Amino acid sequence: QFLFCLDAASEKPLWRNGVGEVRNASLALAHGQLFFLESQPRSEERQAAEVAVLPMLPADPKPNVPLPSQPYYPSSKTAADIRTVVALDAATGETLWRRPLDLTGMGKGLTLCVSQGIVLVAANLDATRFVALAAEDGTPIWTKRTFYFRRPVIIGDTIYTLPYGHHLKTGALKMRTNPVTGTLTPFVWTKAYGCGGMSASSHTLFFRSGSLA
């Protein structure tokens, strides 16, 4: 299997790079780089991921709002889910770096989001964790256990999921002032139903449930 790039004007091939199995929803283009998840890591990468220790932040509290569905927790007999985050030079197809990760139990439909020099490894549905890497070289920056229903969107320096917001570069919960008590509390929102993911503008989140937030 391979990825390839065509010149948009001439339709001539620019480069071709042999890769392992790639989930199409994980492809992300930013900073002159093409990022994706390989689903079948090399044997040495699998071994490295199994012993790697990532910088772990304290877990988020369980949200006090109802969710459309519950986080995905695989059984103890589930095989380790090792994936490799890969970065290519978008102009040449050259492999810039590879970072194997143990993403067991992270959620359903693993994906990538890239912004402001951060590669965010996330899940598309019923998710339990984030992993943030440096786009420049794949160095792990932070990882965090949390709860979110659908694939995140990144606006500015904030990761928005259902039900939380997180700071992109630190993983800290986004806070807001409670209009009743005046105290700082986590930014939390929810919806009643709807299987679609979110989209967003600078000031508005859009989603299926007959509502805007």
Side-chain angles (χ1 to χ4, degrees):
Q1 297 183 354
F2 58 90
L3 289 175
F4 63 92
C5 178
L6 302 179
D7 183 277
S10 68
E11 300 183 1
K12 293 182 178 180
L14 294 179
W15 54 260
R16 171 171 166 163
N17 188 310
V19 297
E21 183 178 330
V22 176
R23 176 175 167 78
N24 60 351
S26 75
L27 290 163
L29 184 66
H31 314 305
Q33 296 167 268
L34 177 64
F35 304 90
F36 55 90
L37 278 169
E38 277 192 4
S39 301
Q40 297 178 342
R42 302 165 182 172
S43 59
E44 65 272 17
E45 291 178 335
R46 176 174 290 276
Q47 294 171 5
E50 289 174 346
V51 300
V53 178
L54 301 180
M56 179 72 74
L57 298 175
D60 286 336
K62 187 174 181 178
N64 59 356
V65 295
L67 298 177
S69 64
Q70 296 302 309
Y72 167 68
Y73 294 105
S75 71
S76 58
K77 296 181 180 179
T78 301
D81 187 0
I82 309 296
R83 311 287 181 102
T84 302
V85 183
V86 184
L88 306 183
D89 185 307
T92 67
E94 176 189 1
T95 300
L96 300 177
W97 54 262
R98 300 174 61 90
R99 173 66 62 175
L101 297 170
D102 186 346
L103 302 180
T104 306
M106 190 169 193
K108 302 173 183 175
L110 301 180
T111 188
L112 301 179
C113 302
V114 185
S115 182
Q116 299 187 39
I118 303 292
V119 179
L120 185 71
V121 187
N124 187 53
L125 181 66
D126 301 340
T128 63
R129 193 163 26 124
F130 286 129
V131 178
L133 308 175
E136 181 180 10
D137 58 9
T139 299
I141 299 175
W142 59 265
T143 186
K144 192 175 193 181
R145 296 192 179 279
T146 185
F147 307 87
Y148 55 101
F149 172 60
R150 274 291 185 182
R151 176 189 179 120
V153 294
I154 300 174
I155 304 298
D157 61 357
T158 302
I159 307 162
Y160 289 100
T161 59
L162 192 163
Y164 285 132
H166 292 85
H167 290 282
L168 175 63
K169 295 188 177 180
T170 67
L173 279 175
K174 179 180 176 66
M175 307 295 284
R176 64 179 171 186
T177 301
N178 187 301
V180 177
T181 65
T183 59
L184 280 177
T185 57
F187 172 91
V188 177
W189 69 281
T190 190
K191 65 178 183 176
Y193 63 91
C195 61
M198 291 184 295
S199 59
S201 66
S202 297
H203 303 287
T204 308
L205 298 177
F206 301 90
F207 51 86
R208 288 179 57 192
S209 195
S211 305
L212 297 179

